[in-house]
Amino acid sequence: MACTIDHLRPNHGVRVLRDFTDARGQSYGAGATGLVRQMGFDGIQGELWIDWERNGVLERLYFALGSPTGPGNGRMREYFELGAYDPGNAASELPPVKPRAEPPRRSRGRSYSGQHPPADTNLGEVSVACDCDPALHRAVLIEFLGVNACLRCGTVTCSSTVGDEGRYTGNSWQAYLAVPVSPPVLDWLSQWPRVTVRRHGLHRWPTSDVLGQRDVIYLPADTRCETSAELIAREDEFLGRTSEIPFPRAPPPTDLPREWQAFAHFWSALRLTPDSDLSQLLSFAQLQSPGSVIAVERLLRRPDAFDVLVAALRSRDPALHSAGTALARAARPVDPRLPEVLIEILNGLSFEPLPSVPSRIASWGRLEELFVVIADLKLATPNMLTALKTLQRRLVRHDPNLASYITIVLRELLGEPPPTHREPWLP
């Protein structure tokens, strides 16, 4: 199925910003270019994949979700610069795709009598092996990892997705296939809260999902609702009440498959306290961490929380800066010292160019995160507005894309409507 990963889009050119090696050992250097054709997620292998075309040859890149370094969800902007849309002659250049007249027939959920369906059982377009209204289905703890539950009957199903977007076959479809899971693993996964993520559409630049404004709402595993309206009302009730949600106390099963290791990471985050090792807390707090919301809550209960937040934001380590971003966005009420701290950091960042990438500075990732913090917290102090305008005038000669982001932030801070046209330096 076609999808997007961070800012990457199908049929767009890309330029490699930093050297990397994918999960299959294939290496690429900064400056390499290609044309993204398709992208997807393999829940069984726990990998993202990207098909890109280089010199008329289609290659597939693999990136492990569990890897903390290299290209990955939330980090693609560090490694790829998005270019212009160019559909080209993709259909004739890609390997032929065997057409399918229709997706495999769905097996009815009620035939499993509460048991998990056998591996490769086709569930059709629904992710849970039950016959309840799909509007009552939710992911378990983490979206898109293939563990989903019904909030009416309680069924939990582990699955992967297959399908065809129809670009080359003329027939678009998607289906969920049950994957093998042992009873102890299924029982442990079933104990986790159900989750829904409400994303707030903002008129900003394309960002990774973790930098977008969103509400992550957890419901206890034993929550039951008869209608979708009742479920939405329960989610409204639990908005912002993560600390009240019961989480499993039992450790992960020894045979927990690697594609669900994010549950184990979350469980480890739950074991932390405000007095735990600071480096460990910050490691779990970074935006890409499954347990970020838990680690951030623990850190904000420390008496030195503001000092920790500031030190992380000042750090040149991307993981620490990400943790500082997560802390700053969650800290309420906003510390009145924060705007001046952010101005100091903004003014101290280097405009050193990123090697082999025209009009891109090495600190663009840190600046983007700081811009998001300023906009999300609505830090419209007079000094902040002046600092942003001054920074924009300096920045436009070095990184015009970042300069354009400041225009968007300033309009938000001033309560002005979003621009109706794209700035000329945007791609």
Side-chain angles (χ1 to χ4, degrees), residues 56-102:
V57 177
L58 191 69
E59 302 173 355
R60 175 161 290 192
L61 307 175
Y62 297 88
F63 305 109
L65 285 176
S67 174
T69 60
N73 188 33
R75 300 190 301 273
M76 290 301 184
R77 286 177 174 270
E78 300 175 28
Y79 289 88
F80 296 99
E81 180 180 39
L82 188 67
Y85 176 74
D86 180 9
N89 297 314
S92 63
E93 295 175 1
L94 293 179
V97 179
K98 182 180 179 181
R100 300 187 68 164
E102 60 182 23

Side-chain angles (χ1 to χ4, degrees), residues 11-78:
N11 292 329
H12 280 72
V14 292
R15 180 192 299 272
V16 176
L17 301 178
R18 297 168 57 184
D19 297 351
F20 70 86
T21 301
D22 78 349
R24 299 294 188 274
Q26 185 64 44
S27 298
Y28 296 89
T33 59
L35 189 62
V36 173
R37 288 306 188 188
Q38 297 185 73
M39 297 175 283
F41 166 64
D42 185 339
I44 298 297
Q45 298 299 322
E47 292 177 330
L48 300 171
W49 56 264
I50 298 175
D51 285 343
W52 71 337
E53 179 186 341
R54 304 183 67 234
N55 302 319
V57 177
L58 191 69
E59 302 173 355
R60 175 161 290 192
L61 307 175
Y62 297 88
F63 305 109
L65 285 176
S67 174
T69 60
N73 188 33
R75 300 190 301 273
M76 290 301 184
R77 286 177 174 270
E78 300 175 28

